[in-house]
Amino acid sequence: MPFGNTHNQLKMNYSAEQEYPDLSKHNNHMAKVLTPEMYASLRDKQTPSGFTLDDVIQTGVDNPGHPFIMTVGCVAGDEETYEVFKDLLDPIIEDRHGGYKPTDKHKTDLNPDNLQGGDDLDPNYVLSSRVRTGRSIRGFCLPPHCSRGERRGIESLSVEALGVLDGDLNGKYYALKDMTDEEQQQLIDDHFLFDKPVSPLLLASGMARDWPDGRGIWHNDNKTFLVWVNEEDHLRVISMQKGGNMKEVFNRFCTGLTKIEELFKEKGHEFMWNEHLGYVLTCPSNLGTGLRGGVHVKLPNVSKHEKFSEILKRLRLQKRGTGGVDTAAVGGVFDISNADRLGFSEVELVQMVVDGVKLLVEMEKRLEAGQSIDDLMPEQK
Amino acid sequence: MASSFVRVLSSKRKMGILSLVGAGSLTVGFFLNREHVNAGSNVRRIYPASAEYPDLRKHNNCMASHLTPAIYAKLCDKATPNGYTLDEAIQTGVDNPGHPFIKTVGMVAGDEESYGVFADLFNPVIKERHNGYDPCNMKHPTDLDYSKIRGGLFDEKYVLSSRVRTGRSIRGLSLPPACTRAERREVERVVIDALAGLKGDLAGKYYSLTIMTDQEQQQLIDDHFLFDKPVSPLLTCAGMARDWPDARGIWHNNEKTFLVWVNEEDHTRVISMEKGGNMKRVFERFCKGLLEVERLIKERGWEFMWNENLGYILTCPSNLGTGLRAGVHVNLPRLSKDARFSKILDHLRLQKRGTGGVDTAAVGSTFDISNLDRLGQSEVQLVQTVIDGVNYLIECEKKLEKGQDIKIPAPPISQFK
């Protein structure tokens, strides 16, 4: 089995104190929670596939974090990780997901009819709309821990299922290792291609092993529905299009996901899901819906307003640069998306994005006209 | 407080593990018996070896050249007593296909036993890398008797500095790709405990990477002693950089001529160096220091990893035997532009590097010239080779200065056939 200290028995020769990591300079969720006592009580445990505590925390030990950004600092190697190491992961989940308790239940709602509006975001401001999530196939280890055979198994199951999609969802799979130069260039131009991870947060967890074996990109002919295979999760599913019709994007998202789930079930496979954690993914930050719904929107005036951060916070939204997480905004264009993942349903989260972005655009127009936005200030959602 | 789920796992571990039922079967939940592995490590395999075999079609490294599907199938379920597996050993070679011109090794050892348990793969790799040396039936000579060296005082108009380095591993503790945090800390403790016993011109001080002050760090950088967290994917993919900078540090003597790196790419890297051309003295200090450190750790009940076939055991197979790289920074403005330069080096069993070390380019016409070989010849033999070879290069440079012609030396007799 690959990567990390999977030979757990050897470590039992040393005391917990001798093995306990030095977290004195660390600032991530794992370091906040992992006391020496907790380390001692969990370190002789492993999941059925052999994933150990040290495997879970390696990325957090290797990446002390940033004084301003709080990273998670741990990953799951399989579905059982969240159960076997719940003493560590429950408090992390609670801290990361706004107080979500170990006894809380998560609601899944992928019925796009439940979304109100969302088809009329002003395209003069909203340049593009996108919804993404991830899915894991039950019975297989997750990217930090899977073997080559498993990863290839995930790939072939996914390619088979996606091959059945038709109509608006008819598409094609491009395996990273067999891609021609032309195909690669086209995927880059479409902004579809993902590359071998360079972030030490990901590399330290073992997700990039055997690259590019078993990795690939599937997309429909219309280039509005995209699936990444074996990048940071088994599957990342993305629905996107230019303009502000989030309703259409979300429709396609739900339809596509539901169809894919059915196709997997027909072959005797289900997605990892339970009523407490929702959809189970590699990083605890993506539990629940794993959903990030967002837009690229022009907010040059609002973004300079002193209350911009406060407004986003009340709307339960977050801003990123248009290059994605950890990038800066360019030319007043921001990536605005939901901040939450767990404890709200898919419909609820996309509703927040739709309502919130509508309000932000209205504010932008007011400020453009030199008017005040004080009466538009939202309540905390 | 263990949940009932975890208690179920514990009892499953004690029940032992079932054997594989038929190749090609994809049913979940059967286990393979791994040799040498304690009953506690419950390793699950769903796929047969043929489904796990890496795709090495675009690869150009020694591991890829020798890892056939048959060898993979034979070794993939084995593990060392510490639990180190074949997949872990080859991960770096799978993740780094290599360079069309440079053939990297593509595998590492996680412990001393790796070289035995995975001999079916290590041996052909060692043979290719070390010019036909066959660990099965050859013995490696170890010789740290510096009095045997002839010459070794280079012309300092050409040679700017002289250096000898090697590595040593502490027997009984896993190597950097596989060691646990506690083992790594134990390596540090054993080594700095021994180094504290060095006296005279070898007396020195240890600087732990975790608690170094800014001033100490700057001084070590200025002295060119400081090593940093590895960035090369060849090393990071092997897992050597885990838990950085825990238990890593630098020890050096007060004169700054003898330096030990702790827990970088090996348990220890030992370096003797000086400005100028006195390779003889550099090697003398090298040997004295190494032998003294060995004496000190033996007093405390430890020893270095060594055996009569592979010599000193280090993480990378390329560093087996002596693990020794003896070299100089030398100015060869005319010779380096001569078309015969590479061939001359080749016949002298020398290699050139830039002055930043492996994979760097030469600056101006100053080169790092060192021995190519590591295994099958002793330390004394290799250093003599460097001394004789560098002298030859300087003679060539002088001849070219005078407008005289130079000769390519005869190729060496092929050693291990």
Side-chain angles (χ1 to χ4, degrees):
Chain A
M1 262 309 153
F3 216 79
N5 301 318
T6 48
H7 42 291
N8 215 26
Q9 286 303 109
L10 171 68
K11 279 181 246 145
M12 296 306 126
N13 294 331
Y14 295 90
S15 73
E17 195 181 85
Q18 289 170 311
E19 286 289 356
Y20 182 70
D22 180 353
L23 301 173
S24 51
K25 297 198 176 100
H26 287 59
N27 183 45
N28 56 50
H29 284 288
M30 178 278 292
K32 271 174 82 174
V33 167
L34 186 67
T35 60
E37 294 72 33
M38 187 185 284
Y39 184 81
S41 81
L42 292 177
R43 71 174 192 129
D44 61 340
K45 309 205 182 328
Q46 42 188 23
T47 67
S49 74
F51 204 63
T52 66
L53 178 67
D54 280 318
D55 293 331
V56 173
I57 66 172
Q58 190 67 57
T59 179
V61 174
D62 287 348
N63 296 289
H66 196 276
F68 309 140
I69 302 165
M70 191 76 155
T71 47
V72 176
C74 56
V75 291
D78 52 23
E79 191 167 9
E80 293 83 353
T81 301
Y82 288 101
E83 183 59 39
V84 173
F85 301 108
K86 70 193 324 300
D87 290 344
L88 170 68
L89 294 170
D90 279 349
I92 290 174
I93 289 167
E94 190 163 344
D95 202 3
R96 180 63 176 216
H97 293 283
Y100 193 79
K101 304 233 170 320
T103 48
D104 285 342
K105 303 248 182 292
H106 171 80
K107 199 169 49 163
T108 294
D109 182 0
L110 283 161
N111 184 350
D113 297 335
N114 290 340
L115 183 70
Q116 323 270 12
D119 52 354
D120 58 350
L121 298 174
D122 190 337
N124 291 314
Y125 295 85
V126 178
L127 307 176
S128 60
S129 308
R130 180 184 189 268
V131 181
R132 69 87 160 150
T133 188
R135 291 291 186 263
S136 311
I137 305 176
R138 180 161 277 165
F140 290 82
C141 289
L142 295 169
H145 192 51
C146 66
S147 70
R148 278 181 295 274
E150 285 190 286
R151 201 184 297 110
R152 292 162 177 170
I154 292 159
E155 183 190 32
S156 72
L157 280 175
S158 304
V159 171
E160 215 187 316
L162 295 166
V164 175
L165 295 174
D166 60 4
D168 172 49
L169 295 175
N170 192 63
K172 186 175 166 192
Y173 181 69
Y174 303 86
L176 249 58
K177 64 178 181 172
D178 301 328
M179 208 174 274
T180 67
D181 287 341
E182 290 83 5
E183 287 171 336
Q184 184 170 306
Q185 195 51 52
Q186 187 60 57
L187 287 165
I188 291 172
D189 295 339
D190 292 329
H191 304 289
F192 281 176
L193 187 65
F194 64 87
D195 226 337
K196 180 169 179 175
V198 293
S199 165
L201 300 174
L202 300 183
L203 295 176
S205 72
M207 289 185 215
R209 287 170 301 121
D210 314 312
W211 203 275
D213 199 320
R215 275 86 169 188
I217 293 162
W218 179 97
H219 69 77
N220 66 348
D221 301 329
N222 297 335
K223 298 187 182 178
T224 54
F225 194 71
L226 168 67
V227 178
W228 288 351
V229 179
N230 286 318
E231 191 236 12
E232 196 182 323
D233 278 293
H234 288 173
L235 302 169
R236 283 288 179 94
V237 179
I238 302 149
S239 170
M240 59 205 263
Q241 64 192 55
K242 293 240 180 280
N245 196 340
M246 182 59 95
K247 192 160 179 63
E248 198 170 79
V249 169
F250 189 57
N251 267 7
R252 186 182 311 109
F253 177 81
C254 297
T255 310
L257 263 178
T258 311
K259 277 219 173 77
I260 293 171
E261 184 159 16
E262 271 165 30
L263 291 164
F264 271 99
K265 279 196 164 136
E266 272 172 28
K267 295 179 173 7
H269 295 281
E270 20 174 43
F271 291 145
M272 291 183 197
W273 181 95
N274 65 59
E275 60 175 6
H276 166 51
L277 294 178
Y279 288 102
V280 175
L281 294 178
T282 304
C283 182
S285 69
N286 280 321
L287 291 165
T289 59
L291 186 142
R292 193 172 91 85
V295 298
H296 283 185
V297 57
K298 281 197 257 198
L299 299 172
N301 293 294
V302 176
S303 58
K304 290 197 196 68
H305 196 278
E306 52 171 8
K307 293 223 170 74
F308 185 42
S309 290
E310 178 64 22
I311 293 166
L312 289 176
K313 184 167 162 290
R314 292 189 188 181
L315 294 173
R316 306 195 74 88
L317 298 177
Q318 74 175 189
K319 72 180 198 293
R320 297 180 183 191
T322 51
V325 65
D326 299 331
T327 64
V330 174
V333 180
F334 285 81
D335 177 316
I336 301 289
S337 63
N338 52 295
D340 303 296
R341 302 274 182 275
L342 174 65
F344 297 91
S345 75
E346 289 81 353
V347 166
E348 283 170 343
L349 291 176
V350 177
Q351 192 69 65
M352 278 188 231
V353 174
V354 161
D355 297 344
V357 169
K358 216 168 174 182
L359 180 64
L360 286 167
V361 170
E362 220 186 307
M363 286 178 168
E364 181 65 27
K365 288 173 175 168
R366 286 273 195 96
L367 291 173
E368 261 176 40
Q371 293 161 1
S372 149
I373 57 168
D374 291 344
D375 61 313
L376 291 177
M377 283 299 289
E379 296 293 308
Q380 177 67 54
K381 278 196 190 274
Chain B
M1 176 225 73
S3 73
S4 55
F5 187 85
V6 168
R7 250 176 261 127
V8 166
L9 290 177
S10 308
S11 62
K12 264 192 185 162
R13 279 203 290 273
K14 286 179 194 127
M15 273 185 335
I17 28 195
L18 315 169
S19 44
L20 172 60
V21 177
S25 171
L26 295 185
T27 36
V28 179
F30 53 78
F31 304 88
L32 279 178
N33 220 339
R34 278 186 182 245
E35 294 179 37
H36 305 303
V37 162
N38 295 333
S41 40
N42 207 6
V43 181
R44 174 263 309 108
R45 165 119 14 164
I46 302 178
Y47 297 91
S50 57
E52 294 285 359
Y53 181 71
D55 182 351
L56 302 171
R57 289 171 298 168
K58 294 196 178 108
H59 287 59
N60 182 44
N61 56 52
C62 295
M63 179 278 291
S65 295
H66 297 284
L67 184 65
T68 61
I71 292 179
Y72 184 81
K74 183 175 178 197
L75 298 179
C76 68
D77 295 317
K78 295 199 188 334
T80 68
N82 297 320
Y84 197 68
T85 64
L86 179 72
D87 279 327
E88 290 177 283
I90 66 172
Q91 190 67 60
T92 179
V94 175
D95 288 347
N96 297 289
H99 195 275
F101 309 139
I102 301 164
K103 198 156 186 189
T104 47
V105 176
M107 67 187 301
V108 291
D111 49 24
E112 189 166 8
E113 295 83 349
S114 295
Y115 286 104
V117 173
F118 307 115
D120 286 331
L121 180 58
F122 271 112
N123 286 352
V125 165
I126 289 167
K127 203 166 173 182
E128 180 183 341
R129 183 64 178 215
H130 295 282
N131 312 301
Y133 184 88
D134 188 350
C136 296
N137 53 37
M138 293 181 186
K139 300 230 191 305
H140 168 80
T142 291
D143 186 356
L144 287 161
D145 182 357
Y146 52 87
S147 68
K148 292 181 183 154
I149 293 291
R150 302 178 315 274
L153 277 82
F154 297 122
D155 187 337
E156 294 191 347
K157 265 212 312 284
Y158 302 89
V159 173
L160 309 175
S161 60
S162 309
R163 181 183 187 265
V164 183
R165 70 88 160 149
T166 188
R168 291 289 187 264
S169 312
I170 309 292
R171 176 160 280 162
L173 296 168
S174 300
L175 295 168
C179 65
T180 73
R181 276 183 296 275
E183 284 189 293
R184 200 185 294 113
R185 292 163 178 171
E186 184 73 346
V187 169
E188 186 188 35
R189 189 194 64 74
V190 169
V191 171
I192 68 181
D193 195 42
L195 292 170
L198 291 174
K199 301 192 191 341
D201 73 319
L202 291 175
K205 186 176 164 189
Y206 181 67
Y207 302 86
S208 151
L209 250 58
T210 55
I211 56 177
M212 202 176 280
T213 68
D214 286 341
Q215 289 87 347
E216 287 170 337
Q217 183 169 309
Q218 194 51 53
Q219 187 61 58
L220 288 164
I221 290 172
D222 295 339
D223 292 328
H224 306 288
F225 283 175
L226 188 66
F227 63 87
D228 228 335
K229 179 170 180 177
V231 293
S232 164
L234 300 175
L235 301 182
T236 54
C237 290
M240 292 185 211
R242 287 171 300 123
D243 314 311
W244 203 274
D246 197 320
R248 273 81 167 193
I250 293 161
W251 180 99
H252 69 78
N253 67 347
N254 300 329
E255 329 238 318
K256 298 188 182 176
T257 52
F258 193 68
L259 169 67
V260 177
W261 288 352
V262 180
N263 286 317
E264 191 238 9
E265 195 183 326
D266 277 293
H267 283 175
T268 68
R269 283 291 180 91
V270 179
I271 303 150
S272 171
M273 58 205 265
E274 280 179 32
K275 291 245 180 279
N278 197 340
M279 179 61 92
K280 189 176 171 64
R281 189 167 61 202
V282 166
F283 185 56
E284 181 174 334
R285 185 180 311 109
F286 176 82
C287 297
K288 279 182 168 160
L290 269 175
L291 290 166
E292 184 60 8
V293 171
E294 183 160 19
R295 189 187 70 74
L296 288 162
I297 65 165
K298 278 188 159 149
E299 259 179 17
R300 290 152 176 78
W302 298 89
E303 35 175 27
F304 291 141
M305 289 184 197
W306 181 93
N307 70 52
E308 57 176 9
N309 299 113
L310 296 178
Y312 288 102
I313 303 291
L314 293 177
T315 304
C316 182
S318 68
N319 282 320
L320 290 166
T322 59
L324 185 142
R325 192 171 91 85
V328 298
H329 283 187
V330 58
N331 244 340
L332 300 167
R334 288 166 190 74
L335 181 59
S336 59
K337 293 190 192 64
D338 193 292
R340 295 163 285 187
F341 186 40
S342 287
K343 194 150 194 188
I344 293 172
L345 288 173
D346 194 61
H347 286 194
L348 291 172
R349 299 304 299 161
L350 297 176
Q351 72 173 183
K352 72 181 196 291
R353 299 182 180 189
T355 51
V358 67
D359 297 333
T360 65
V363 174
S365 50
T366 306
F367 287 84
D368 177 316
I369 303 289
S370 63
N371 53 296
L372 267 171
D373 304 308
R374 303 271 184 275
L375 173 65
Q377 290 188 78
S378 74
E379 290 81 353
V380 165
Q381 285 172 311
L382 292 176
V383 172
Q384 194 65 61
T385 298
V386 172
I387 288 171
D388 298 343
V390 169
N391 279 332
Y392 190 92
L393 295 173
I394 292 173
E395 284 312 304
C396 287
E397 182 68 27
K398 285 176 172 168
K399 286 207 167 104
L400 291 172
E401 273 172 29
K402 298 199 198 104
Q404 293 166 0
D405 196 23
I406 57 175
K407 272 215 301 262
I408 300 172
I413 305 152
S414 191
Q415 297 178 275
F416 310 123
K417 292 291 183 255

